[in-house]
Amino acid sequence: RVGLRIISEYKKIRHPGAHFQHLNVSAATSGGIMFAPLVCRKCHKRRAERREIIAEIVETEEKYGRDLDIITEEFYRPMMVAGLLNSDQLTTVFLNVSELKEHSAALSQKLRDAYEIAVEQGDDDLLTVNIGRLFLEASPSMLHAFQSYCTRQGNAALLLANLEKEKELLRIFLRVSQMENAVLRRMNLNSFLMVPVQRVTKYPLLLARLYKVTPEHHLEARQTLNEARHKIQLHLEHINSLAKDISSTKLWRKIYAINGKRPDNEDLADIKFRKVAVDVLEWSGLGEEIRFSMEGRLLYTQPSDHNWRRGGRTIKLMPINAIIVTLGKPNENYNPDADDIAFPRQNGIRDASLVLLKEKSGRISLLREPMYLDRCVVCCESDWDDYFELHEITTKDTYILKGQDGEQTKMWYRQLQYHCQTLGCWRKRRNALANIMINRNCT
């Protein structure tokens, strides 16, 4: 009787064509038994599938992290301590496994925290867990690490096979480890080194399954899932295009099978801009420390009496592609989105640069030499609503910059200001004296 009354009231207020999954109403019988009469059997099944997929994503990511730990603890360190391979050979075989391990640990922690918080708050259906947003937050640096690993994994496997033939002690160590070490689960080193390739190719499949069972009225969750899946697929296509010439086609067949649709040329160009920027900065061999703080379109001009008049501003701005590239491993003090950056701290970033690129007829070229932010000052006058100025101290070049909208302009200004202040040599006071005009050494 209670259930019929609730359904009757719901029919009076619901919109035409509305589905029962849009309302989650619980009621209690006289005996205190809780039930949800407005959740249909189909919706209940989809929610159960969604819980299972989220749990699978969390658990498999943690398992992937444990496999990376096995590579480090059971193979890399024993081989290094025993001197089975020299440092160059170890670097070539194991590549940037340590960087992948850091990214996996960070993502696993965020996934586990989101899962446990939802359960503690009584969200048994995990409707508050936004997996797509977590992947989008982790994807820029994580996907770059996967690209650095996957494009070189083919050569690493060939080198390992040759070394096993040449070095008897190495061959014995790997065989005994596989057969006697229970932690390895009878897997050899080559199988473990393929785990990162298998993991990154599985991300789009997991996100696609989760997207399929996410309710349509959860617009933000569906949008972030679709965006994260598309971004990962795009990077997999780019990885395949870089690696197919040096690796067997069989290794990369799984990447081709993920999505039959080709990515947009505009999206592929964004990845090409990154590659050009890293090559120009000559940071190609430092993949573990390279990060892209911000990238996108900017409008720019160089101020002059002709195009910049204080009275009536007549400005003609030209579009350009810009990327802020940082070098170093950020620590807990690194926070470019902070509102208060008056007192910068050591944040693990050793260098940062603004690279301005232009594209014409499919060819990407530099607008000018990279602007290293430790030699730049960024400012914005109070009467400037949508512009800010970037001045390079060494060359005395000045650029007036603007984002595509007001919000983008603020984001670019904040990112550039943060990296200029934390890296700038201008902030070092002379002789650390209280009064910089006094120098006791000059007497």
Side-chain angles (χ1 to χ4, degrees):
R1 188 178 301 175
V2 175
L4 292 175
R5 185 167 64 252
I6 294 176
I7 295 175
S8 176
E9 293 297 326
Y10 172 65
K11 288 182 178 179
K12 295 178 182 179
I13 62 174
R14 75 183 182 93
H15 298 288
H19 197 272
F20 274 24
Q21 67 177 347
H22 293 263
L23 188 64
N24 186 11
V25 179
S26 298
T29 65
S30 58
I33 300 175
M34 299 296 298
F35 65 97
L38 299 184
V39 178
C40 67
R41 184 175 301 175
K42 181 179 179 180
C43 296
H44 180 75
K45 181 179 179 181
R46 288 167 66 93
R47 290 183 180 184
E49 291 179 1
R50 187 174 184 274
R51 288 196 303 269
E52 292 174 0
I53 295 173
I54 292 177
E56 180 183 353
I57 292 174
V58 176
E59 292 170 2
T60 55
E61 186 65 30
E62 291 175 343
K63 180 179 180 298
Y64 164 64
R66 291 193 294 268
D67 286 342
L68 295 180
D69 290 336
I70 290 175
I71 294 176
T72 303
E73 300 297 331
E74 305 297 332
F75 289 108
Y76 179 83
R77 289 185 179 176
M79 292 166 64
M80 179 181 64
V81 172
L84 298 178
L85 297 179
N86 58 41
S87 59
D88 292 337
Q89 291 170 338
L90 286 171
T91 302
T92 305
V93 170
F94 291 94
L95 302 173
N96 58 328
V97 169
S98 59
E99 183 186 11
L100 293 175
K101 184 178 175 182
E102 292 177 4
H103 290 299
S104 177
L107 180 58
S108 296
Q109 187 63 47
K110 291 181 180 179
L111 291 171
R112 176 58 65 179
D113 289 345
Y115 183 90
E116 292 180 351
I117 289 174
V119 173
E120 290 176 0
Q121 294 178 347
D123 181 14
D124 295 333
D125 293 327
L126 306 178
L127 299 177
T128 58
V129 179
N130 193 332
I131 296 294
R133 178 171 54 81
L134 296 178
F135 270 88
L136 286 175
E137 292 174 355
S139 60
S141 55
M142 182 179 71
L143 290 178
H144 186 270
F146 273 117
Q147 176 179 322
S148 178
Y149 184 90
C150 294
T151 53
R152 298 179 294 167
Q153 204 279 331
N155 288 338
L158 292 175
L159 176 61
L160 179 61
N162 293 331
L163 290 173
E164 285 189 61
K165 296 177 182 178
E166 297 174 2
K167 297 179 178 290
E168 184 178 0
L169 288 179
L170 174 63
R171 184 168 62 253
I172 294 174
F173 167 76
L174 294 178
R175 184 179 302 172
V176 171
S177 298
Q178 180 182 356
M179 302 304 296
E180 302 296 334
N181 193 341
V183 177
L184 303 185
R185 310 187 301 273
R186 294 296 180 95
M187 293 173 57
N188 57 23
L189 175 57
N190 192 51
S191 299
F192 276 102
L193 293 177
M194 280 296 295
V195 167
V197 179
Q198 296 168 350
R199 184 58 184 171
V200 71
T201 54
K202 195 172 182 180
Y203 284 144
L205 304 178
L206 292 171
L207 295 177
R209 288 173 53 199
L210 185 58
Y211 177 86
K212 187 177 180 181
V213 297
T214 299
E216 295 182 0
H217 62 283
H218 290 186
L219 300 179
E220 182 183 358
R222 290 175 64 88
Q223 181 181 356
T224 53
L225 282 172
N226 195 35
E227 185 178 349
R229 180 173 60 89
H230 175 72
K231 192 170 187 178
I232 296 174
Q233 287 176 346
L234 178 65
H235 276 267
L236 289 177
E237 290 284 352
H238 183 64
I239 291 172
N240 185 68
S241 64
L242 294 176
K244 64 182 180 181
D245 294 334
I246 58 176
S247 301
S248 64
T249 56
K250 183 178 180 180
L251 175 65
W252 305 103
R253 191 173 297 166
K254 182 180 291 188
I255 297 178
Y256 268 129
I258 289 175
N259 186 20
K261 185 176 67 174
R262 300 293 296 179
D264 297 335
N265 291 332
E266 182 178 354
D267 293 335
L268 280 176
D270 294 339
I271 300 178
K272 293 179 181 178
F273 287 138
R274 288 187 175 189
K275 186 175 186 302
V276 171
V278 172
D279 291 342
V280 167
L281 294 169
E282 297 182 353
W283 292 353
S284 300
L286 304 171
E288 297 184 11
E289 299 183 342
I290 298 174
R291 284 168 174 80
F292 301 94
S293 179
M294 190 168 181
E295 55 189 319
R297 302 279 287 180
L298 272 179
L299 301 174
Y300 84 99
T301 189
Q302 289 188 280
S304 64
D305 294 336
H306 175 70
N307 66 359
W308 184 260
R309 299 186 180 90
R310 289 289 182 184
R313 270 178 207 139
T314 304
I315 312 173
K316 184 178 180 181
L317 300 174
M318 300 295 293
I320 200 69
N321 294 282
I323 303 178
I324 300 177
V325 191
T326 64
L327 183 65
K329 293 185 178 181
N331 56 30
E332 64 276 4
N333 295 326
Y334 182 73
N335 186 13
D337 297 324
D339 295 328
D340 184 13
I341 55 176
F343 301 98
R345 302 176 179 178
Q346 296 297 329
N347 54 24
I349 300 297
R350 303 198 312 272
D351 204 351
S353 177
L354 175 66
V355 182
L356 302 178
L357 302 169
K358 58 183 179 180
E359 182 181 15
K360 185 176 181 181
S361 301
R363 299 184 62 182
I364 301 174
S365 60
L366 277 175
L367 174 69
R368 52 148 294 156
E369 291 299 316
M371 302 177 70
Y372 292 93
L373 298 182
D374 60 339
R375 310 169 193 169
C376 296
V377 175
V378 61
C379 67
C380 180
E381 296 187 6
S382 59
D383 57 341
W384 291 8
D385 295 331
D386 298 323
Y387 306 92
F388 62 90
E389 180 179 347
L390 182 66
H391 178 76
E392 189 174 26
I393 299 174
T394 54
T395 62
K396 298 184 179 180
D397 289 341
T398 300
Y399 285 87
I400 304 297
L401 302 174
K402 177 183 178 181
Q404 293 183 312
D405 53 41
E407 188 64 27
Q408 285 289 319
T409 302
K410 292 179 181 178
M411 291 176 63
W412 277 104
Y413 174 72
R414 180 177 297 179
Q415 288 280 343
L416 290 170
Q417 185 186 43
Y418 178 84
H419 291 97
C420 286
Q421 284 193 341
T422 54
L423 294 172
C425 58
W426 53 269
R427 66 186 178 91
K428 299 177 182 177
R429 300 183 62 182
R430 287 172 284 179
N431 295 332
L433 296 176
N435 188 341
I436 64 175
M437 301 303 295
I438 299 176
N439 191 337
R440 298 178 181 177
N441 295 327
C442 299
T443 56

